[in-house]
Amino acid sequence: MLRTAHGDFDPTGIASRKGDRTVAVCLPARDEEATVGTIVETLRRDLQEEVPLIDELVVVDDHSGDATARVAQDAGARVVDARTTLPAYTGAGKGAALWKSLHETTSDLVVWVDADITEFSSHFAAALIGTLVEHPEVSFVKGAYDRPLVEGEGGGRVTELVARPALAMLFPELTVVAQPLAGEYGGRRELLERLPFVQGYGVDIALLIDAHRSVGMAGLAEVDLGVRRHRNRTIGQLGPQAAEVLRAALVRAGVPTGDEHLTLRRPGLEPLALAHDELPPLVELETYPRRSD
């Protein structure tokens, strides 16, 4: 697996060498009005106006109850409403938002960035794009970063307590990946459009496993993005996310996980039904233009 660092890439140089390849940067966002505007403004200013690197800048509003869509649009993004995009697929979730963003863009290279990052820098996107532009053998690139303590809570709890042990037991070759659940990653459309997308939070680990199966370690890369800060969630909020991550890994390993609808039971809390739904590769949709055929 190739390793790069954000300091290896200059946006102007990347733009000059991307040739006729087009680039989309997409943000899945649910209730992120506090941060999404700054992220979009930074990307638009640095990588569209100052340097012509990004061709499509898209925010997928994933059933938000706040002003996420308005803030993103005012900042300069094209906003896609997950409720009305591909209406035959009605479910919400991060994976569904990523899948719909891939459908709604046409660029050759697609990069995703989470919408809850604070102290955002455009190098998060530029380094992912640069890795794909400068290394044609790479089809899928993941971000890696340090996550400092915020208000006494450490970062990467689901990664360390669930994702990394699951990979060690089921997919040991992928334990070299520093941040298997990083929300900053991307790839070439000809690969991404042929992968299924887990609808919820299991999408990050599932895409990593599926991309590895498709292109092998030689087709993967990891880029050091430096320090990443974002909103930390409580343990109670992370429980369902951890269950979805574990289930996605188990399904890909062929381990039975019971009924399609898993019920997460926790003392003092209402039972929570967690469905494991997968969206088909886009090339299997009759309405999708098969660009890579």
Side-chain angles (χ1 to χ4, degrees), residues 26-30 58-63 80-82 85 91-104 112 197-200 203 279:
C26 305
L27 289 74
R30 178 187 294 180
V58 174
V59 170
V60 178
D61 180 26
D62 181 24
H63 300 74
V80 171
D81 189 344
T85 302
K94 180 180 181 181
L98 299 182
W99 186 70
K100 291 182 178 184
S101 72
L102 186 60
H103 182 274
E104 292 301 299
W112 290 291
F197 279 59
V198 173
Q199 190 157 292
V203 65
L279 299 160

Side-chain angles (χ1 to χ4, degrees), residues 16-214:
S16 68
R17 289 187 290 277
K18 76 168 187 171
D20 59 359
R21 289 168 290 187
T22 50
V23 175
V25 175
C26 305
L27 289 74
R30 178 187 294 180
D31 297 332
E32 301 293 359
E33 65 177 6
T35 49
V36 69
T38 299
I39 295 173
V40 170
E41 288 173 358
T42 301
L43 291 169
R44 177 177 52 78
R45 181 192 66 235
D46 294 355
L47 303 182
Q48 285 192 313
E49 295 175 355
E50 294 184 5
V51 176
L53 183 57
I54 297 175
D55 300 284
E56 298 179 274
L57 181 54
V58 174
V59 170
V60 178
D61 180 26
D62 181 24
H63 300 74
S64 294
D66 66 1
T68 290
R70 177 182 57 79
V71 170
Q73 186 170 11
D74 289 348
R78 176 164 70 91
V79 176
V80 171
D81 189 344
R83 296 178 180 89
T84 57
T85 302
L86 294 170
Y89 298 89
T90 57
K94 180 180 181 181
L98 299 182
W99 186 70
K100 291 182 178 184
S101 72
L102 186 60
H103 182 274
E104 292 301 299
T105 56
T106 61
S107 291
D108 305 301
L109 308 178
V110 181
V111 163
W112 290 291
V113 176
D114 279 345
D116 64 346
I117 303 173
T118 59
E119 302 179 32
F120 179 80
S121 169
S122 59
H123 79 256
F124 277 34
L128 294 166
I129 298 165
T131 301
L132 293 167
V133 168
E134 302 285 4
H135 299 278
E137 75 279 9
V138 172
S139 295
F140 188 79
V141 56
K142 289 282 288 189
Y145 38 72
D146 293 324
R147 297 175 63 181
L149 295 174
V150 177
E151 297 179 355
E153 293 194 13
R157 288 161 290 168
V158 176
T159 294
E160 297 303 328
L161 298 176
V162 179
R164 205 176 304 287
L167 290 176
M169 288 183 278
L170 303 171
F171 303 97
E173 63 277 15
L174 290 175
T175 56
V176 298
V177 178
Q179 295 286 352
L181 302 185
E184 286 64 58
Y185 55 91
R188 302 185 190 280
R189 179 172 294 271
E190 60 263 28
L191 170 65
L192 299 172
E193 67 186 3
R194 296 184 181 279
L195 300 179
F197 279 59
V198 173
Q199 190 157 292
Y201 282 116
V203 65
D204 299 325
I205 197 168
L207 283 176
L208 174 63
I209 294 168
D210 291 346
H212 174 253
R213 283 176 167 169
S214 295

Side-chain angles (χ1 to χ4, degrees), residues 239-250:
Q241 180 178 340
E244 292 186 35
V245 168
L246 179 58
R247 195 172 196 186
L250 291 172

